[in-house]
Amino acid sequence: MSAAVALAVLGTAGATWNFLAIRRDRAANPPPGRIYDVNGYAMHIYCTGTGSPTLVLESGHGEDFTVWGKVQPSLSRVTRTCSYDRAGFGWSDPQPGERDAIHIADQLHALLMQAGITEPIVLEGHSGGGLFALVYASKYPRDIAGLVLVDAYTPSPLPEPPFAVALDHHSSAEFAFVKATVALGVARLMGQCDSIPSGLEAYAGWIKASECDYPQLDAYVREDHALADSQKEGAHAGPFGNMPVLILSQDTRRAIPAFLSKRITAKDWQWYGAVHDQEQAAYLQLSTRSRRVIATGSGHYIHYDRPDVVIQQTITLVRQIRNDTDSLVGAPPGIEK
């Protein structure tokens, strides 16, 4: 058997193994919540708890509802809380057309209408999801009671760093390599399909059922390619008058993250921290009732590193809206310890 034939056989075997494993995991772990028809395509939403306003959680770029597993149970003790899967992720079908923020906002709005969530919501978005939330609030202002941005992407591209490492950029070659390792079962062989973040063990079945689902990588790439358009759309969002806005930011004063420690210097990290802090602080201009909290010791995934901060601060915002108070007006930026 030639080397080429052997590689072809191994590749086919790996791809088949990955496909069957996903089918097995998805059959064994049906999604919680409900599936609705949105424009002829299935979309998944998972609502827990009761109370108003409804809190809707918008996941980060390329992620599904499971990333909110550390905070949704606690938040739903205070108010109805809904996480969902954008088109192409988790248990939501891919949808044709652009994957920029405006199209994503329109699909979320249609999903909420189908689910009967018609009263003004609090929309909470992480990372790229924060950018999508901004655009949603701009397009559907009457449907928004409050906004929470969890270390959200900036509407404007960050300045080019004075060092060679791109902190948030993926080349076409990188995408192609990752897609190949997943499609051929290499990622599964290396254990990358069974990695469950600490604290999300209750969501393990759903995470495994989606982790190495090859088509979801296409959805990720489509969102990534539309990011520049999403940023342009987000640049026109706001201001939002006196609508309560909460900005939760990572702590860039912490030590250089391990995955970057051998690639950048302390001076490089200090540069990044200063730029990131400036961009996050700019969100305070979105509303006369904006407030910013830096989650001490947290990285970009604040809802993983400091779920207590996300829970406490979001509940404070929800209660503020319920009580219709001005308790946060003029409050200075905070440091959550």
Side-chain angles (χ1 to χ4, degrees):
M1 180 183 296
S2 69
V5 173
L7 286 174
V9 171
L10 288 173
T12 301
T16 302
W17 174 44
N18 189 63
F19 174 77
L20 293 176
I22 290 171
R23 287 192 62 181
R24 176 202 64 205
D25 289 340
R26 291 179 81 83
N29 299 279
R34 295 280 303 276
I35 303 290
Y36 291 95
D37 182 284
V38 176
N39 304 321
Y41 299 90
M43 287 196 74
H44 168 238
I45 188 169
Y46 177 40
C47 295
T48 53
T50 59
S52 181
T54 296
L55 174 63
V56 177
L57 305 173
E58 181 75 73
S59 304
H61 173 34
E63 296 172 336
D64 62 23
F65 83 100
T66 60
V67 297
W68 298 103
K70 285 189 177 184
V71 300
Q72 181 165 351
S74 294
L75 292 171
S76 63
R77 296 190 187 104
V78 175
T79 199
R80 179 166 62 163
T81 303
C82 303
S83 52
Y84 86 105
D85 293 328
R86 286 193 299 276
F89 298 104
W91 279 263
S92 290
D93 290 340
Q95 293 196 32
E98 298 298 323
R99 299 308 304 151
D100 60 304
I102 286 179
H103 285 82
I104 288 169
D106 288 342
Q107 289 163 7
L108 173 58
H109 185 262
L111 172 62
L112 295 179
M113 295 302 101
Q114 291 281 44
I117 302 173
T118 57
E119 77 281 2
I121 63 171
V122 173
L123 186 55
E124 179 160 347
H126 167 246
S127 191
L131 185 60
F132 303 150
L134 268 179
V135 173
Y136 188 104
S138 182
K139 187 164 187 183
Y140 300 102
R142 294 183 179 179
D143 295 348
I144 298 292
L147 194 62
V148 182
L149 303 177
V150 184
D151 213 50
Y153 276 7
T154 173
S156 302
L158 290 173
E160 287 296 324
F163 46 93
V165 177
L167 295 175
D168 194 24
H169 174 73
H170 304 282
S171 67
S172 297
E174 287 177 298
F175 282 136
F177 176 77
V178 172
K179 289 169 69 174
T181 61
V182 171
L184 297 175
V186 177
R188 187 172 297 277
L189 182 64
M190 297 176 65
Q192 296 175 6
C193 304
D194 298 319
S195 178
I196 308 301
S198 176
L200 292 180
E201 289 78 11
Y203 284 60
W206 300 318
I207 293 173
K208 289 180 181 179
S210 293
E211 190 65 20
C212 284
D213 188 11
Y214 176 80
Q216 297 191 44
L217 292 174
D218 288 324
Y220 181 94
V221 172
R222 290 175 64 201
E223 279 192 5
D224 192 80
H225 287 169
L227 180 59
D229 288 336
S230 295
Q231 289 177 313
K232 291 176 183 177
E233 294 157 5
H236 299 292
F240 300 115
N242 67 346
M243 182 181 75
V245 175
L246 171 64
I247 303 109
L248 300 177
S249 305
Q250 66 170 289
D251 182 6
T252 54
R253 301 165 305 171
R254 72 192 193 286
I256 301 175
F259 76 97
L260 283 176
S261 60
K262 295 182 179 180
R263 303 170 67 191
I264 67 174
T265 67
K267 185 177 180 180
D268 295 334
W269 182 243
Q270 185 178 26
W271 175 91
Y272 169 75
V275 171
H276 185 79
D277 184 70
Q278 181 180 5
E279 295 289 346
Q280 290 284 299
Y283 280 133
L284 289 167
Q285 305 303 314
L286 287 174
S287 166
T288 58
R289 300 172 79 184
S290 294
R291 185 171 66 106
R292 183 179 176 219
V293 172
I294 299 173
T296 300
S298 171
H300 181 53
Y301 282 77
I302 303 174
H303 46 315
Y304 281 10
D305 299 336
R306 294 295 309 273
D308 57 315
V309 174
V310 176
I311 293 166
Q312 177 187 352
Q313 296 298 332
T314 301
I315 289 174
T316 296
L317 183 80
V318 167
R319 287 174 173 162
Q320 177 198 0
I321 292 169
R322 284 179 179 171
N323 297 329
D324 193 26
T325 67
D326 292 329
S327 60
L328 298 184
V329 174
I335 304 293
E336 186 65 26
K337 300 181 179 179

